[in-house]
Amino acid sequence: MSNFDHTKYRPFTPVRLTDRQWPDRTLDQAPIWCSVDLRDGNQALVDPMTVAQKKRLFALLVKIGFKQIEVGFPAASQPDFDFVRELIEENLIPDDVTIQVLTQAREHLIDRTIEALQGAKKAIIHVYNSTSTVQRERVFRMSRAEIIAIAVEGVKMVKERVAQHPDTDWRLEYSPESFTGTELDFAVEICDAVVQAWGPTPEKKIILNLPATVEMSTPNVFADQIEWFCRHIQQRELIEISLHTHNDRGCGIAAAELGLMAGADRVEGTLMGNGERTGNMDVITLAMNFYSQGVDPQLYLAEVDEIIEVVEACTQIPTHPRHPYIGELVYTAFSGSHQDAIKKCLSQQSAEEGWQVAYLPIDPQDLGRSYEAVIRINSQSGKGGVAYVLEADYGLQLPRWLQIEVARAVQAKTEALARELKREEIWQTFAEQYLATEQQAHLISYKLERSDRDQLEAVIQHQGEHFTLKGEGKGALHTLTQALSKRLGQAIEISEFSEHALTQGSAAQAVTYIQLSLGETRFVGVAISEDTVAANLNAVLAALSPALAQQRELVAAD
């Protein structure tokens, strides 16, 4: 039999909650946030952060707007203890920020924790002990009563010791570790005992943190667990229900959202989801989920590149390019149909209306990203993406008929190089094919006299030689094409014409795009000039340069 044997696993037992209320609720306000980057996230690192790195990350968390920050497990290691002391002694904690520290419910660890917090203005002591069935029966070999006694005695020890330091504003957080693997009635029983031992007040509530230490079920079952707990816990009005979800099943964020819908008040997580095993709940993603629904997340995430830089420097963990909201490529479209839709939506988006852009759930500029990265060009890209880049970076508003032709040229180049094209390479591809080159005919000078029949005299340079064209007609374009028709011996018909200003001001430039036919052959020309008439005439000459070259070859052969 293969080692890959699913029969050794058992499905998670669902919660009997036939009248569940959470599915009908919506999230219309941000939760109380607590960052655990400096403790839970730090414990997950191969090389834990130095004190200097921790201080840098702490400063970032304060800047983002966290009001509760778990800064370590000071009784577990000297670096954690030293870091907590430096925060306090160097007065690095703003008055509106509360630091939180973790400790097991053991006397010597509690004493060391209180020592680390001496002089703090506000502090949360986070006490925990494991309550799950498997831990009770197979690790500790203890009864429910014995596990409850550990929690209650630990809380009483904390209460006695903090009473000796009245200058600090103390709060208690208790976690029944491995809540998801704990029988719900027992989770309520032990938490009721802890609440009774601590004695919270409406002004200073106790925090009951319900951690998915291991994610064991689908998010809807976790939400059922939270709703059941909230219904059955005593003195609910004196309690903040907190969530601490992990990502073992890849659903840590969804579980937190549904848990909030089920009645929780607070969430713990880390920036970008760093944490043990598959990680913690990703605070940035959850906060941006609120933001995308028009709810103020109460966190400042507009300078996301700075956040990424600091977190990567402190954790040595790179950010995935497809990380929700903040990855390098999450707002980038390579697909031609996506690019076309984005381009059209952006051109119609106004500041007065709600954000409505296809494929972009939020405006990248809200996170400090530019539109330059929205559309990038590879062999999967189409006309809309190429047109967007040329307009956004170079001001060219390609008509649709030309977009198709330019896209083909760009695609051919990406396929030949087997890679993405940089934006300047897209411009170079366009310029090489359509703008003035040594092979193209162009104006040296022209004289246009306006009357019922306009008179044009143009001096042309082509392949090192000058010649003069004279003609008459209705407008400069018609006059030039009439003169060229005589020279080439075939009628010229203009099928497409488009022009627009390329720049503003006294030295503004104009660009002309033209498609014309000479007999059965179609030609395209593009020209840019500060003189609108010159741009029109040069576009015609650029288009017909191959025909003029062929005529010279025929004359030379004769």
Side-chain angles (χ1 to χ4, degrees), residues 92-149:
L92 298 176
I93 307 168
D95 289 343
D96 63 346
V97 172
T98 302
I99 58 171
Q100 175 174 305
V101 295
L102 186 72
T103 182
Q104 290 175 315
R106 296 164 62 185
E107 185 172 13
H108 71 286
L109 298 178
I110 291 171
D111 287 339
R112 181 69 166 163
T113 300
I114 299 294
E115 180 185 353
L117 291 171
Q118 294 303 299
K121 295 177 183 177
K122 296 187 291 186
I124 298 170
I125 297 184
H126 182 183
V127 179
Y128 76 97
N129 67 314
S130 189
T131 59
S132 70
T133 309
V134 69
Q135 295 249 37
R136 289 198 321 267
E137 295 178 353
R138 298 198 173 194
V139 179
F140 303 118
R141 298 181 182 274
M142 289 183 175
S143 66
R144 285 188 176 193
E146 289 172 313
I147 296 294
I148 292 174

Side-chain angles (χ1 to χ4, degrees), residues 141-309:
R141 298 181 182 274
M142 289 183 175
S143 66
R144 285 188 176 193
E146 289 172 313
I147 296 294
I148 292 174
I150 290 173
V152 170
E153 287 305 311
V155 168
K156 287 181 177 178
M157 282 188 281
V158 171
K159 187 174 183 178
E160 291 170 359
R161 284 154 178 77
V162 300
Q164 300 170 23
H165 305 280
D167 291 339
T168 299
D169 182 1
W170 300 100
R171 291 189 67 189
L172 180 76
E173 174 175 344
Y174 173 70
S175 288
E177 189 193 8
S178 299
F179 165 79
T180 45
T182 302
E183 304 93 331
L184 284 174
D185 65 319
F186 181 53
V188 168
E189 183 182 1
I190 193 170
C191 287
D192 277 338
V194 164
V195 173
Q196 184 68 29
W198 180 254
T201 66
E203 295 75 30
K204 195 174 294 186
K205 297 181 180 182
I206 188 174
I207 301 168
L208 294 182
N209 188 54
L210 307 178
T213 308
V214 177
E215 187 177 31
M216 303 174 72
S217 68
T218 52
N220 62 299
V221 174
F222 180 71
D224 283 348
Q225 290 178 305
I226 300 304
E227 183 169 332
W228 196 98
F229 183 94
C230 289
R231 288 187 188 186
H232 290 83
I233 192 73
Q234 297 177 29
Q235 303 185 79
R236 176 67 177 90
E237 71 281 1
L238 305 180
I239 299 166
E240 281 181 7
I241 301 296
S242 176
L243 307 176
H244 185 119
T245 57
H246 281 101
N247 208 37
D248 301 89
R249 294 170 54 95
C251 301
I253 296 165
E257 288 183 314
L258 269 57
L260 289 169
M261 291 165 62
D265 310 296
R266 178 183 187 265
V267 292
E268 296 185 346
T270 61
L271 299 175
M272 286 124 82
N274 175 38
E276 294 184 62
R277 301 184 310 280
T278 55
N280 284 47
M281 194 281 297
D282 181 342
V283 170
I284 291 179
T285 300
L286 181 55
M288 290 306 302
N289 285 352
F290 277 98
Y291 185 79
S292 71
Q293 301 303 302
V295 176
D296 184 354
Q298 301 292 312
L299 294 175
Y300 179 71
L301 302 173
E303 298 175 19
V304 71
D305 288 333
E306 179 191 4
I307 295 173
I308 293 171
E309 177 189 358

Side-chain angles (χ1 to χ4, degrees), residues 430-475:
F430 175 83
E432 288 174 351
Q433 182 153 339
Y434 297 104
L435 297 182
T437 67
E438 293 181 0
Q439 290 75 35
Q440 286 183 344
H442 63 274
L443 284 173
I444 298 298
S445 63
Y446 74 93
K447 182 187 297 182
L448 180 65
E449 294 183 1
R450 302 284 190 179
S451 63
D452 292 340
R453 297 285 293 176
D454 295 339
Q455 305 291 319
L456 174 69
E457 180 178 320
V459 179
I460 313 297
Q461 178 175 307
H462 184 229
Q463 296 185 348
E465 295 185 3
H466 293 186
F467 61 90
T468 301
L469 284 176
K470 295 182 179 181
E472 63 177 28
K474 297 179 180 180

